[in-house]
Amino acid sequence: MALLFSLILAICTRPGFLASPSGVRLVGGLHRCEGRVEVEQKGQWGTVCDDGWDIKDVAVVCRELGCGAASGTPSGILYEPPAEKEQKVLIQSVSCTGTEDTLAQCEQEEVYDCSHDEDAGASCENPESSFSPVPEGVRLADGPGHCKGRVEVKHQNQWYTVCQTGWSLRAAKVVCRQLGCGRAVLTQKRCNKHAYGRKPIWLSHMSCSGREATLQDCPSGPWGKNTCNHDEDTWVECEDPFDLRLVGGDNLCCGRLEVLHKGVWGSVCDDNWGEKEDQVVCKQLGCGKSLSPSFRNRKCYGPGVGRIWLDNVRCSGEEQSLEQCQHRFWGFHDCTHQEDVAVFCSG
C-alpha cells in the first residue's frame, strides 16, 4: 500500500514542484506573523531565497500560518538573530498564484545560487493584536555617549529606529528623562548620513505631551506601518546627566554646593536661595533634612573657583532634583564667588 501511494505521488507531481515542506514559520519579527521565512524539510529548518518572491507568495504564507492579510515583502536579513551559517537555503524561485493554502503547493526550485543575504521575509497582519506593541526600552545609538544619538526602541530583544514623522521636542524631553540624561537641547529630525540606521523602521507619529515618564507612555502610529527611509531617522541630543556635590565639609552632606554641567563642575549663586532649595539638595543627595544654617555658617567654606553655573534658583521643595527647579540659563549670572551657596544636611 505504501509503495502504491509513492507511485501515485510520483506520477502526480508536476515539474517545478518539490517534495512538500512539512512546515513554515516566520522568525525574528515583532509577532508570529512577521519575520524571516523558514521552511522545514526532513526535520531541518532552512530559509527561502527571495528570487521572484512577491506579495502573492507572502499571502500564501500568511494563510498557512492563520495570520491576517499580507502587508509586505521585507528582506529576511532585517530580522535578528540572523540565520545560522550552517542553516541551509532550502528553496528558491517560489511562484504562487496567491490562492494556495500552503507554500508547499506553490511552484519552487532547489537552490543553486542563493545565500543568506537573499533570505526572504514576510509581513502579515497580526490577528491576535488590535493595538501596537509597547516598546521595552529606548536608547540613543551611534552618538558620543549615551545622551546623544539616533533614537531606537527595543521590542522582543531587537532594536528599531524611529521615523521623524510626528517627532517633536516634547518627545525628545521624554527620551532624555527616561535615559537619566539632562534636558533635551536638540532634536535633529534627520540624522547625518554616517548615522543612518540599518534596522527596520517600526515607529512613527509619536504624540508626547512632554510630561510622560517614558516613551512607552506616548501614543504612536501602528508599528511597522510607515513610508519612512533611514534618512528620516530621528536624532536627539540631551545634556549630560545632572549631578551635584557638596565640597569642603567634614562629610558628603555639608559644604559648598557645586553642580556638573558639560563635564565641568561649577558653583551656584545664592541669589534667592533659601530653605526650600536646601531641602531639594539634601533630598537629591540622600542626606536627610536641611539644617538651615545661618548666613555666617554658609560662608565658612570660602569662595569657589571656576564657573558659576546657576543663579536665581527657585524650588517649591517638592522637586526630586535641583534640575527640576526654575533657574536662569546655565552660565548666566550677575554674581561673584563670594556669593557661592553652601548647604548643611542632617545626614
Side-chain angles (χ1 to χ4, degrees), residues 12-90:
C12 294
T13 302
R14 293 182 292 150
F17 285 72
L18 299 176
S20 299
S22 59
V24 64
R25 66 185 182 186
L26 299 177
V27 178
L30 291 171
H31 47 77
R32 71 175 187 87
C33 293
E34 173 198 7
R36 181 178 61 255
V37 183
E38 294 188 357
V39 294
E40 185 184 18
Q41 288 185 358
K42 298 179 180 179
Q44 300 294 320
W45 287 96
T47 61
V48 176
C49 183
D50 64 4
D51 289 353
W53 188 259
D54 61 23
I55 197 68
K56 290 184 289 186
D57 306 321
V58 172
V60 174
V61 171
C62 297
R63 184 177 301 117
E64 183 171 358
L65 292 175
C67 298
S71 58
T73 58
S75 170
I77 64 174
L78 295 175
Y79 300 101
E80 293 185 347
E84 298 178 358
K85 292 182 179 179
E86 60 270 19
Q87 193 176 19
K88 294 181 178 180
V89 183
L90 292 178

Side-chain angles (χ1 to χ4, degrees), residues 13 57-58 73 91 111 140 147 225 227 229 239 246 260:
T13 302
D57 306 321
V58 172
T73 58
I91 55 176
V111 176
L140 298 177
C147 291
K225 295 183 179 180
T227 57
N229 299 311
E239 291 179 344
L246 298 176
L260 182 66

Side-chain angles (χ1 to χ4, degrees), residues 1-13:
M1 188 69 181
L3 178 60
L4 178 61
F5 178 80
S6 298
L7 289 172
I8 294 172
L9 179 63
I11 292 170
C12 294
T13 302

